[in-house]
Amino acid sequence: MTAIWWLRRDLRLDDNPALRAAANAGQVLPVFICDDSVERLGAAPKWRLGLGLEALIQRIEAQGGQVFLRRGAARDILLELAQAIGADTVVWNRLYDGAAIERDTAVKTALQEAGLSVQSYNSHLLFEPWTVETKSGGYYKVYSPFWRAVCDRPVAAAHAAPNVDWASPSEVQTDPVSDWALGAGMQRGAEVVQAHCRIGEDAARARLDHFIGCHIADYKARRDFPAEPVCSGLSENLTYGEISPRRIWAAGQAAREAGEPGAEHFLKELVWREFAYHLLFHEPSLPEDNHREGWDDFPWRGDSEDADRWRRGCTGIRFVDAAMRELYVTGTMHNRARMIVASFLTKHLLTDWRLGRAWFEDCLIDWDPASNAMGWQWVAGCGPDAAPYFRVFNPDGQAEKYDPEGTYRHRWIAEGADTPSDTALSFFDAVPKSWAVSPGDAYPAPIIDLRKGRERALAAYEARKG
Ligand code: FAD
């Protein structure tokens, strides 16, 4: 008996229900398919996916197995492969964005019609979206009641990696992962970004252990200070499934039971991710369409030179530029900084949130379809449970509060500094030559007067209401 394990966003052996089911069924053939969902990814998440995949391939090869890699339509490849090796079962872990659900439903029907047994499992979430309902049977659009509905629910225990009898059939061909050129879109210095990545399941577990051991106690009090290493960084690994949310939940719960002051807050943040998936499942157009009514005719600006200066970390507003450079160099950005740059783009620069969402989608190594869409709509004011549009972050005020010593800004801005930091200088190694920037340049003047930008945003908001 051979089972095909269709790998997607679950690049791990630990606590992987589909892999466990496959291992119980017989020999296991892991398959990764480079289909449209992979081809469509932004440059950084596509490149980072390739690194995660290579790490898993090495792990499986060390156990005597082999991951079969194919490019094309999942349905055709799975059918062909199952026939070639005589597999009778195909398993995978579920995904929740509209395109994935549509594809998986069609694949399941085709495989079943061909006589195969098909099973799917939950490994990506703690609480699958359809299992959480309001009292009236709808879905939650506000976070706090969602949290109250799930916080005391039992979460299944995480399982260790199973013993697997790997299949390595000689009759099927596999592509070398390098043939897919998953990093081809990385116009920026990939090696600069890679120095900041933590790839694979061992790295993810080490990250979790380090966070629980060293930072969870300070998490609630210090998590908003972007210069401090208090946050877990686990979003990078969760995105590719290099760690299971159940493992993280269990570690957070144990810390809570041990009386760690930041533990509950950490669990609440994990549940923001769940909430984002809850929303995306029930509103598949969340990445594209304003959630709130009345926003479709808001006078957002389209692309502009201002938006370009924002992308390039060259607005002359130091906190914004520091954050955009952090994004460019590390592929991630601190949560407080994400809120500030998103507010600056959508409010001070009055720019359509979808433009910012798309730039994040291209640059973030932790890009997540649900959290990114929710985060942008939340900041822009048109999303579920959103920050009101009239609450406009002042980036300078935020800098005084959350970066009082200027450590974060110094870490990411070289121009004008007597002794620029290595990280700030590395931005200039990462950017394409066509940007023609150098650490010796004068730091740019602000592209907008913060007070005037705020007034323009509020006027647009008032006009919309009227
Ligand atoms: P920690 O503070 O250690 O939190 C632990 C985990 O909780 C995170 O790994 C993440 O899975 C979850 N989490 C924490 N905060 C949030 C939040 N606000 N929303 C949803 N989940 C959360 N997160 C992504 O993973 N991918 C994205 O593409 C993404 N885009 C965003 C865009 C905007 C405009 C905003 C405002 C937020 C976005 N976030 C996104 C949410 C958040 O910024 C990141 O999850 C967080 O910064 C990740 O760092 P961490 O792992 O150190 O988080």
Side-chain angles (χ1 to χ4, degrees), residues 207 211 219 223 230-239 248 265-277 332-343 356-357 360-361 364-380 393:
R207 215 171 206 171
F211 171 72
Y219 185 74
R223 64 178 288 274
V230 172
C231 295
S232 70
L234 284 162
S235 56
E236 176 189 355
N237 309 105
L238 276 166
T239 292
I248 304 178
H265 209 83
F266 178 64
L267 295 172
K268 282 186 168 164
E269 294 305 326
L270 266 186
V271 168
W272 270 105
R273 175 176 177 271
E274 300 287 318
F275 182 54
Y277 272 102
T332 66
M333 189 194 286
H334 189 274
N335 182 59
R336 168 79 23 197
R338 291 186 208 215
M339 293 195 290
I340 290 165
V341 302
S343 169
R357 190 222 65 212
F360 272 30
E361 197 166 326
L364 279 173
I365 57 166
D366 71 359
W367 174 71
D368 178 277
S371 297
N372 195 37
M374 180 186 73
W376 275 96
Q377 293 229 34
W378 186 88
V379 176
F393 283 120

Side-chain angles (χ1 to χ4, degrees), residues 33-291:
I33 299 170
C34 183
D35 69 356
D36 280 353
S37 71
V38 176
E39 306 281 11
R40 275 197 309 267
L41 287 171
K46 193 172 182 179
W47 165 78
R48 174 61 179 80
L49 173 71
L51 299 179
L53 188 56
E54 279 172 24
L56 184 67
I57 290 170
Q58 279 174 16
R59 204 176 182 93
I60 291 175
E61 284 179 355
Q63 297 186 4
Q66 192 179 359
V67 178
F68 281 77
L69 304 164
R70 286 291 182 80
R71 185 173 226 156
R75 174 185 164 280
D76 300 345
I77 289 169
L78 291 170
L79 277 171
E80 183 201 318
L81 204 56
Q83 201 169 31
I85 64 167
D88 52 6
T89 303
V90 180
V91 298
W92 62 76
N93 291 308
R94 288 188 280 275
L95 295 171
Y96 306 90
D97 60 283
I101 291 171
E102 199 178 316
R103 175 198 59 192
D104 293 353
T105 308
V107 169
K108 185 173 186 179
T109 306
L111 295 176
Q112 285 176 333
E113 280 171 3
L116 288 149
S117 160
V118 181
Q119 285 124 36
S120 68
Y121 300 86
N122 169 30
S123 91
H124 206 55
L125 295 177
L126 300 167
F127 315 105
E128 289 192 291
W130 53 87
T131 66
V132 189
E133 283 188 341
T134 62
K135 286 202 175 72
S136 57
Y139 66 98
Y140 285 94
K141 300 183 187 80
V142 178
Y143 170 80
S144 299
F146 180 82
W147 159 255
R148 285 195 295 275
V150 300
C151 64
D152 293 324
R153 277 195 184 192
V155 169
H159 289 269
N163 288 323
V164 183
D165 180 8
W166 299 107
S168 19
S170 52
E171 60 273 31
V172 287
Q173 281 190 336
T174 177
D175 301 343
V177 70
S178 54
D179 275 12
W180 293 351
L182 295 174
M186 282 288 275
Q187 300 297 326
R188 62 204 218 249
E191 67 291 347
V192 177
V193 186
Q194 190 161 346
H196 297 273
C197 296
R198 300 287 174 272
I199 302 156
E201 55 185 312
D202 286 346
R205 276 298 278 276
R207 215 171 206 171
L208 175 62
D209 293 346
H210 177 74
F211 171 72
I212 297 287
C214 303
H215 297 303
I216 198 166
D218 294 331
Y219 185 74
K220 183 172 181 199
R222 306 303 295 171
R223 64 178 288 274
D224 273 319
F225 293 77
E228 298 194 18
V230 172
C231 295
S232 70
L234 284 162
S235 56
E236 176 189 355
N237 309 105
L238 276 166
T239 292
Y240 307 97
E242 293 169 348
I243 192 162
S244 104
R246 285 190 287 250
R247 277 267 170 245
I248 304 178
W249 184 258
Q253 285 289 11
R256 176 154 81 166
E257 281 156 25
E260 285 291 4
E264 176 159 317
H265 209 83
F266 178 64
L267 295 172
K268 282 186 168 164
E269 294 305 326
L270 266 186
V271 168
W272 270 105
R273 175 176 177 271
E274 300 287 318
F275 182 54
Y277 272 102
H278 185 75
L279 292 171
L280 183 66
F281 176 77
H282 290 288
E283 293 181 29
S285 67
L286 193 71
E288 289 301 331
D289 298 339
N290 297 310
H291 163 84

